[in-house]
Amino acid sequence: MPVLAIHLGAPRLLPDSCSRLGSRKSIRAPARSGLRIRAVLDLPKPTITNGTSPDKEVEALRADVLHELRYRVAPQSINEAKLYESVAWSVHNRLVEGLDATNDHWREQDVKQVYYLSAEFLMGRTLTSAVHNLGLGGAYGAILKDYGAALETVASEERDAALGNGGLGRLAACFLDSMATLDLPGWGYGIRYRYGMFKQVIREGYQIEVPDYWLDEGNPWEVRRPDTTYRVGFAGTSDGASWTPGDEVIAEAYDVPIPGYKTTTVGSLRLWNAKPVAEFDLDAFNVGDYDGATGAKRRADDITAVLYPNDATEYGKELRLRQQFFFVSASLQDTLARYLATHSDLAGLPDKAVFQMNDTHPTIAVAELQRLLTDVHGLAWDEAWAITTKSLAYTNHTVMPEALEKWPVAVLQKLLPRHMEIIQRINDEWLASIREHVEAKVAKAPARPAPAEEEADEADDESDTTASGKKPAKKAPLDPVEEALKEYSIVQENPWKAGEMLVNMAYLAVVGSKAVNGVAAIHSEIIKTDLFPQFVEVFPSKFQNKTNGVTLRRWLAYCNPALSALITEALGSDAWVKDAGQLAGLEPRAEDPAFRARWREVKTTAKAALAARIAETTGYEVTTDAMFDIQVKRIHEYKRQLLNAISLIVRYQEIKAMSPEERKKVVPRVSVFGGKAASAYYMAKKIVKLVGAIGAKVNTDPEIGDLLKVIFLPNYNVSEAEVIIPAAELSQHISTGGTEASGTSNMKFALNGCLIIGTMDGANIEIGENTGLENLFIFGEAAEDVPRLRAERKDFTDYDPRYTKALKAVKDGEFGDADYFEDLNAVTRGPFCNDWFLVANDFATYMDAQRRVDELYGDQEEWTRRSILYTARNGFFSSDRTINEYAKDIWGVTPAPPPAPTPTA
């Protein structure tokens, strides 16, 4: 149906699908239909939400929005998408002013700065958080009313920045927000991916990956810095002292300003775009080598095209290493250039710079910083190594083997020959430095008897001859010290491929860093006892814990404005937005029936918004009378979406078997899944398909009705989370014990008053300690028992009959695609069972926990009381607290707020 849109000249009709991005809502003409843009200045002045009278700042904002609309956006007609662009560019102007002032101040004060190196920054949309952090939400909202629009609907036109995938990238984004809010000098450093990871499309139940064209209409939230470029080399030759790259690209900087909350500080995320040294080879083109003419550009484009390219091919593996080295090298070169602009002695670098390596992706920084200091800046090896090890810090985020990168020596020698030499020297000197420690350790160890087969070999030496009649050479006895040193070595043999040597990047990071931290209490203990115990022996004080946190601005105040308003009213101010500890003041209100009723009203409103999103996205209608049960996170076997899915088959089977009277007692449930499976992750994609297949059957079964709905929301991202999390009543964090480092979505759900069902894993433990373990639905085997249980899997027989019945339904094709799902059955049960993540072991206790969930949900007063306690007791999980700990315990960085600007007359 065509709608009337405001036009620069006369009114005209536009179709609803007036944008190639899909259906856009055009602004319906207000009373002044056909209004010309310049006449907007004559409209009544807006009312600012804080009650102050309009001032020159607001007039400047109005004029700025109009200027951007007329001259930068220059639309033929005005719709919400065009208003978004105009407001975003207006905000951009103020952010750039703040960014420049902040960096000028830091330079003048010569402050120490932190440089946060991360392959991911999952920023989400920027407009809402930016205007509210700047304190301009009311002003821009009022200005948009001039055009008949609202800030929240205009903000929804923004695309999510596709710079990350899951918790790792979202944590990095929260950290940047907190660093700016706490006035801590620092930068984020990453890659400006053109297509992100991928956009997830569900087609006939299968995940399909398509490019995420998030940049094709421009990005108001970045500032291109064409004068800030560095060369990054690959391949070539090294003579042991200098490197001659065989291929080079240009790293060009783009800055994304990060405004702090109620402060003048505007931090920066600097992203690198790859460009060829020569855009086009005309000579190659002229001789008919058309591919060669543009080959350099294609190779450069590949580096910054996609987050985590599929590494199932050799080129994909090499491309990942290229990406990591590209952004690390550019970032280190940039930082050294910034330091040398005001200092002449690199010995002082650790006093002015600290580099935080976010997981193993940036850990090539150890070798690259050492190379830059020695090969480029001429420092002696030992002097450079002292600087390197005082300047770098490493955060470990996982115990999963695939995330603890190990690069083949052959790949490193091919792509980064000088760095492989440096790593080998680091390793040699490291092993030499601990030889005495290892010798003493071996001497204290009890002697081990020779293996039986070796004894037999020795006994048979007399008669064991070759065809030539000669005895084979005896095997040299293994040197126990050399064998023990292998446990410490950065360069190790691949246990699955004889003769292939690997560089353990986590070990390189531990040796080359001044501090190593885990991200939750249990995880930090696991990395000391399971991942790096030998390193803890050598330098125990290097290892720390820094429990993750999330920013309350985005994950409560802005994404859940109704609940935020209720909290502010109850506490008497909005100071809790920056001081999360004040949330504890809500605890007494949990005992107030009237307050609980208002809390439920807010939750119901949020559920209605999610129900509308579900209907719009999937076509399924769900009732807000049902419990909203959510599991949204990266699809992975260790996160056990499969456990949840099998339980839903059981729930479906049980409801089907009930009488009409029994069904009246069932707690209705809407189970929502969301998350992406990595493009090469075969099993994860099957889980996506199974969830969709369960939903397709359950959601159309007239006997089931509203008692159960199973929903998979495609392309889960930050903006989807901002709708899902406020509506959630139960959230699932059900990883196998000891496999989830921390989790941050559990914190977001808890802060929004959502109860948790989960294992004693990651940050669930600390959430339980804060909330009260009796208020969580805990199940599952303890982390310390998991290794034993895995070893016993081949003899496991204690299958819950509900579990086997559900799997039989899948095997029998009740959910279609029986052959496709056969692998899932094999993982969980069968003669070749490989139930590594102990789905069967934990199934019975999981179902018991779900029974307790249903029982408690029937008592809405008690459920709501606990919901309030979740919000009141989890202020600890603010990223402001986490960043304060990093700043004090690792970085040695102190707040340096720029002075407030002088008011103009």
Side-chain angles (χ1 to χ4, degrees), residues 519-522 545 547-549 580-585 587 742 746-747 750-751 754 756 760 762-776 778 865-878 881-882 885:
V519 290
I522 184 176
N545 175 58
T547 297
N548 283 342
Q582 294 195 26
L583 289 173
E587 189 160 340
S742 171
N746 47 6
M747 303 169 189
L751 284 163
C754 173
I756 286 176
M760 291 294 278
N764 284 355
I765 296 172
E766 289 158 284
I767 291 174
E769 292 169 351
N770 282 275
T771 311
L773 283 171
E774 71 278 6
N775 294 317
L776 277 67
I778 298 296
R865 187 185 77 85
R866 296 193 191 190
S867 173
I868 297 168
L869 293 179
Y870 267 69
T871 301
R873 293 177 176 177
N874 283 298
F876 172 80
F877 295 102
S878 165
R881 185 268 313 156
T882 310
E885 293 179 4

Side-chain angles (χ1 to χ4, degrees), residues 563-702:
L563 185 60
S564 173
L566 181 58
I567 293 170
T568 295
E569 178 188 328
L571 298 180
S573 81
D574 65 356
W576 61 270
V577 177
K578 196 170 183 178
D579 180 6
Q582 294 195 26
L583 289 173
L586 289 171
E587 189 160 340
R589 305 302 294 268
E591 310 305 323
D592 179 357
F595 187 77
R596 291 199 297 266
R598 294 184 64 190
W599 193 272
R600 282 195 297 275
E601 289 173 5
V602 168
K603 182 64 73 173
T604 300
T605 301
K607 288 170 69 175
L610 178 54
R613 179 65 60 87
I614 290 170
E616 177 186 6
T617 305
T618 70
Y620 292 125
E621 300 286 341
V622 301
T623 175
T624 57
D625 292 333
M627 177 176 62
F628 278 29
D629 166 13
I630 311 293
Q631 188 179 18
V632 286
K633 52 188 74 225
R634 180 165 49 99
I635 308 296
H636 199 293
E637 288 171 281
Y638 89 85
K639 294 180 183 289
R640 298 203 295 190
Q641 288 92 350
L642 183 58
L643 174 60
N644 187 0
I646 295 171
S647 80
L648 292 172
I649 296 175
V650 171
R651 184 177 290 269
Y652 172 64
Q653 291 172 332
E654 289 177 342
I655 296 173
K656 287 285 285 184
M658 289 179 182
S659 67
E661 287 302 312
E662 289 173 323
R663 288 176 185 166
K664 291 178 182 178
K665 300 176 184 178
V666 171
V667 174
R669 187 178 294 221
V670 176
S671 292
V672 178
F673 293 77
K676 295 178 181 179
S679 57
Y681 196 166
Y682 184 67
M683 296 301 292
K685 287 186 171 183
K686 289 179 180 288
I687 293 170
V688 172
K689 171 64 172 171
L690 178 62
V691 171
I694 295 169
K697 187 173 184 67
V698 171
N699 299 346
T700 56
D701 190 328

Side-chain angles (χ1 to χ4, degrees), residues 537-558:
E537 294 171 4
V538 181
F539 21 59
S541 62
K542 182 178 286 195
F543 291 84
Q544 303 185 20
N545 175 58
K546 295 289 172 280
T547 297
N548 283 342
V550 300
T551 169
L552 267 66
R553 268 79 65 186
R554 181 179 290 267
W555 293 113
L556 181 51
Y558 304 156

Side-chain angles (χ1 to χ4, degrees), residues 506-522:
Y507 284 11
L508 177 65
V510 172
V511 171
S513 296
K514 69 173 185 174
V516 178
N517 72 278
V519 290
I522 184 176

Side-chain angles (χ1 to χ4, degrees), residues 46-49 57-66 68 83-95 97 127-128 130-152 154-155 221:
T47 302
I48 308 306
T49 54
E57 172 68 12
V58 178
E59 292 303 314
L61 291 178
R62 178 187 287 107
D64 201 27
V65 171
L66 179 60
E68 297 296 335
L83 287 176
Y84 157 71
E85 291 182 56
S86 305
V87 172
W89 283 111
S90 171
V91 178
H92 163 101
N93 298 340
R94 276 142 188 81
L95 292 178
E97 290 172 359
L127 179 59
T128 299
V131 297
H132 287 303
N133 275 11
L134 293 171
L136 298 174
Y140 277 109
I143 291 166
L144 283 169
K145 288 181 181 177
D146 295 350
Y147 299 88
L151 179 60
E152 56 269 25
V154 166
W221 307 113

Side-chain angles (χ1 to χ4, degrees), residues 302-565:
D302 285 350
I303 292 174
T304 51
V306 177
L307 168 67
Y308 301 146
N310 188 333
D311 61 354
T313 66
E314 286 303 312
Y315 180 73
K317 288 186 178 72
E318 285 190 16
L319 182 55
R320 284 202 183 192
L321 182 55
R322 281 179 181 268
Q323 285 185 329
Q324 292 174 11
F325 179 69
F326 166 77
F327 94 85
V328 164
S329 179
S331 302
L332 292 178
Q333 290 184 65
D334 189 46
T335 305
L336 291 179
R338 184 178 299 115
Y339 174 83
L340 290 171
T342 53
H343 304 83
S344 58
D345 184 1
L346 278 165
L349 181 68
D351 298 324
K352 296 300 179 182
V354 57
F355 303 91
Q356 188 69 42
M357 298 180 289
N358 192 32
D359 218 10
T360 53
H361 310 116
T363 53
I364 193 65
V366 176
E368 174 64 353
L369 182 55
Q370 185 71 4
R371 183 191 72 85
L372 291 170
L373 293 174
T374 54
D375 296 7
V376 177
H377 295 285
L379 273 64
W381 176 273
D382 290 344
E383 183 183 7
W385 185 241
I387 293 171
T388 293
T389 53
K390 291 176 184 176
S391 302
L392 294 169
Y394 165 54
T395 300
N396 174 278
H397 280 279
T398 182
V399 298
M400 302 305 294
E402 66 267 29
L404 294 172
E405 292 179 316
K406 298 179 179 69
W407 288 108
V409 167
V411 173
L412 274 165
Q413 285 177 332
K414 173 185 175 183
L415 204 60
L416 301 171
R418 178 61 180 142
H419 296 78
M420 190 60 242
E421 292 173 348
I422 289 171
I423 291 169
Q424 189 62 62
R425 180 170 176 180
I426 290 170
N427 192 47
D428 291 344
E429 295 190 0
W430 155 243
L431 295 179
S433 73
I434 60 168
R435 177 170 285 275
E436 288 187 7
H437 167 81
V438 173
E439 287 173 345
K441 181 179 175 182
V442 169
K444 290 179 182 179
R448 294 192 305 176
E453 61 270 19
E454 291 184 13
E455 294 173 357
D457 286 345
E458 292 173 7
D460 292 342
D461 273 350
E462 296 295 327
S463 58
D464 188 10
T465 59
T466 65
S468 64
K470 295 181 180 179
K471 291 180 182 179
K474 287 186 178 180
K475 296 178 181 177
L478 297 176
D479 183 330
V481 173
E482 295 299 327
E483 287 301 301
L485 279 170
K486 290 179 182 178
E487 297 179 5
Y488 300 79
S489 181
I490 297 166
V491 182
Q492 305 169 327
E493 186 173 13
N494 185 346
W496 309 108
K497 189 175 181 180
E500 181 181 59
M501 302 304 293
L502 303 174
V503 176
N504 187 315
M505 300 304 289
Y507 284 11
L508 177 65
V510 172
V511 171
S513 296
K514 69 173 185 174
V516 178
N517 72 278
V519 290
I522 184 176
H523 172 241
S524 294
E525 286 304 308
I526 289 172
I527 68 173
K528 288 194 289 185
T529 58
D530 293 4
L531 290 186
F532 309 123
Q534 67 275 47
F535 295 95
V536 176
E537 294 171 4
V538 181
F539 21 59
S541 62
K542 182 178 286 195
F543 291 84
Q544 303 185 20
N545 175 58
K546 295 289 172 280
T547 297
N548 283 342
V550 300
T551 169
L552 267 66
R553 268 79 65 186
R554 181 179 290 267
W555 293 113
L556 181 51
Y558 304 156
C559 77
N560 202 344
L563 185 60
S564 173

